[in-house]
């Protein structure tokens, strides 16, 4: 769910594209998993950033986006992934901010979605083994309670190093799902 497509301006909502996607999946009997991602440029804390859509959003604007998505798609979407492939600065083409701000984003999304959909499952943004330094940084910052599932990206990955970091930072190892797979 590209935020800027659903909310092109503050207070302006256009759900048509995602409504259509949700309807197609429902018609086929496929349960939809949504990735909440990419800051609407109008909501970037630093609108002058080179790539504001990849930067940190204003916390209240992000919370509003998560709340409106969870309200609108209650009963149709119960799997929510928070961002796509967050990583350390200069290592991700999808996240250009800090581990601290990702934890804030993850916590806000988790609490907002769970308030409206307690039965839903929140997934951390998809990662692979090369994301271990970022994962360690966010686990050290207390991210563990703010996601239900670890979203693994890529084939040939191992959850074991991530589970080791879960334990190292006092979290139960998170169940995992493969949320993206690349052909070799």
């Amino acid at each position: 769910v590209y935020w800027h497509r659903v909310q092109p301006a503050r207070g302006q909502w256009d759900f048509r594209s995602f409504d259509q996607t949700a309807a197609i999946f429902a018609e086929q009997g496929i349960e939809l998993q949504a990735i909440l991602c990419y800051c609407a440029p109008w909501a970037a804390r630093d609108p002058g950033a080179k790539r504001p859509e990849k930067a940190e959003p204003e916390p209240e604007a992000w919370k509003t986006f998560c709340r409106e998505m969870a309200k609108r798609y209650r009963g149709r979407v119960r799997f929510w992934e928070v961002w796509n492939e967050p990583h350390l600065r200069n290592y991700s083409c999808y996240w250009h901010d800090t581990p601290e701000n990702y934890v804030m984003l993850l916590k806000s999304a988790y609490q907002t979605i769970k308030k409206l959909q307690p039965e839903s499952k929140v997934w951390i943004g998809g990662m692979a083994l090369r994301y271990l330094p970022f994962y360690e940084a966010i686990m050290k910052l207390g991210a563990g309670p703010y996601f239900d599932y670890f979203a693994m990206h890529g084939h040939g990955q191992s959850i074991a190093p991530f589970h080791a970091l879960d334990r190292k930072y006092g979290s139960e190892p998170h169940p995992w799902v493969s949320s993206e797979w690349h052909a070799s």
Side-chain angles (χ1 to χ4, degrees):
V1 180
Y2 294 105
W3 183 2
H4 69 277
R5 290 184 186 158
V6 171
Q7 191 182 18
R10 190 179 307 274
Q12 181 184 351
W13 297 92
D14 182 356
F15 294 102
R16 288 177 294 185
S17 176
F18 199 71
D19 282 350
Q20 183 178 21
T21 299
I24 290 168
F25 275 72
E27 286 171 12
Q28 300 300 315
I30 299 170
E31 190 161 12
L32 184 61
Q33 174 259 333
I35 302 174
L36 302 174
C37 59
Y38 313 143
C39 184
W42 61 264
R45 272 201 174 174
D46 178 9
K50 185 175 179 183
R51 301 286 307 269
E53 71 279 8
K54 311 301 182 191
E56 177 195 4
E58 295 172 358
E60 283 305 309
W62 170 254
K63 187 176 181 179
T64 298
F65 170 58
C66 293
R67 182 178 57 247
E68 293 304 312
M69 291 299 297
K71 277 179 15 186
R72 184 169 187 92
Y73 297 101
R74 184 181 300 143
R76 293 187 284 167
V77 176
R78 65 181 182 107
F79 301 112
W80 301 94
E81 189 171 338
V82 180
W83 219 267
N84 178 43
E85 300 185 4
H87 200 351
L88 299 172
R89 281 188 201 267
N90 303 317
Y91 287 93
S92 174
C93 50
Y94 307 110
W95 176 255
H96 293 183
D97 209 341
T98 65
E100 291 82 2
N101 287 333
Y102 183 75
V103 172
M104 181 196 69
L105 196 82
L106 182 64
K107 179 180 179 180
S108 178
Y110 182 88
Q111 291 175 333
T112 301
I113 291 166
K114 289 292 194 167
K115 185 176 181 180
L116 294 162
Q117 296 184 8
E119 73 289 352
S120 67
K121 299 299 179 197
V122 176
W123 301 358
I124 197 165
M127 296 185 194
L129 288 171
R130 68 186 178 96
Y131 295 82
L132 277 170
F134 181 80
Y135 191 71
E136 180 160 23
I138 65 171
M139 290 306 290
K140 189 175 188 177
L141 291 164
Y146 302 113
F147 64 102
D148 300 308
Y149 279 82
F150 183 93
M152 184 73 74
H153 280 193
H155 68 286
Q157 301 296 316
S158 171
I159 195 64
F162 296 99
H163 282 174
L165 291 172
D166 285 341
R167 286 187 287 278
K168 180 178 179 179
Y169 293 102
S171 181
E172 285 293 317
H174 291 84
W176 68 280
V177 295
S178 178
S179 64
E180 181 178 289
W181 189 85
H182 299 282
S184 56

